[in-house]
Amino acid sequence: MHKTLRIGVLNLMHDKEATQEHFTKRLQEACQNVEVTYFYPTMHYANRPVPAAVQAIAQPLDLDLVAEMDGFIVTGAPLEQKDFTEITYWDELVELFDFLSARHIEQLYVCWGAMAAANYFYNIEKDRLPQKVFGVYQNKILQSTALTEGLSFGFKAPHARYADLNVAQIMEEPDLTLTGISQNGHVFSFEALEQQTFLLAHLEYQAGALEAEYQREKAAFPNRDIAQPENVQTSWEETSRIFYRNWLEKVAHQVAEKELCYE
């Protein structure tokens, strides 16, 4: 990949600064020719000032700027236990979904972002889990694709969520391919015929991120019984490196195809 790839990221995570550090590191490890632009949803701050800390690291979601991106990522968010229509910026998110699809921009939806996009585009239902899936687990490939190339049997990945997507519905949808699943039966990833990848694992996480998430939730909900993350000493570095390299190669291929059409 010689051309600088422009990747946009809508950052919906609670710890925005750490999230941006994680994604930038992963993307630049996978490809040196990457320029990452971070956005925040404006509707989330409709009735209050945008925090200075957010303004310092991201810019308001602007579809004119999104149009300049070669690929786009929508992060997870701590919203699995809410209905999608309860989200303050749902209309803005739907507008982004439609825009990315209409522009044929390569899309990567992560964790809650994957749940939201899969529900909007394909009516895949979100299933709330009896307890949080939280830790580093083995996963297996169900269908080999360009994105899963290089991942070994039993590859490791961190999962951290209170809900999952309905596996049966994913498998019944002709436009979707379930590509990976965890050892405990939770979705790792699936792909669409269009330029859409849905990743339920937090491959952007760095070492220590799961423990930090546990401490943050414990402080926020002191009276709630919150399970500690499992297998936190297990490394998923190789999985992250391979997956993000493959995704950026997919972005680069899509860009090359677009440029060829306009020659």
Side-chain angles (χ1 to χ4, degrees), residues 10-72:
L10 181 63
N11 186 356
L12 306 176
M13 291 289 278
H14 184 79
D15 190 340
K16 298 191 183 323
E17 186 173 359
T19 297
Q20 297 188 189
E21 290 175 358
H22 294 331
F23 272 106
T24 298
K25 184 174 187 291
R26 292 300 184 200
L27 293 169
Q28 292 183 347
E29 283 176 343
C31 174
Q32 292 182 345
N33 299 323
V34 172
E35 178 183 290
V36 189
T37 302
Y38 290 94
F39 300 92
Y40 62 84
T42 60
M43 290 180 66
H44 188 52
Y45 303 102
N47 300 312
R48 58 192 174 103
V50 180
V54 174
Q55 294 186 61
I57 61 174
Q59 53 190 299
L61 186 61
D62 182 337
L63 296 184
D64 288 336
L65 290 177
V66 172
E68 299 176 4
M69 300 295 116
D70 299 314
F72 203 91

Side-chain angles (χ1 to χ4, degrees), residues 85-103:
T85 53
E86 292 182 61
I87 309 307
T88 57
Y89 49 84
W90 180 250
D91 290 344
E92 187 175 16
L93 199 57
V94 164
E95 186 178 19
L96 173 65
F97 290 162
D98 286 336
F99 186 83
L100 292 169
S101 183
R103 289 281 182 145

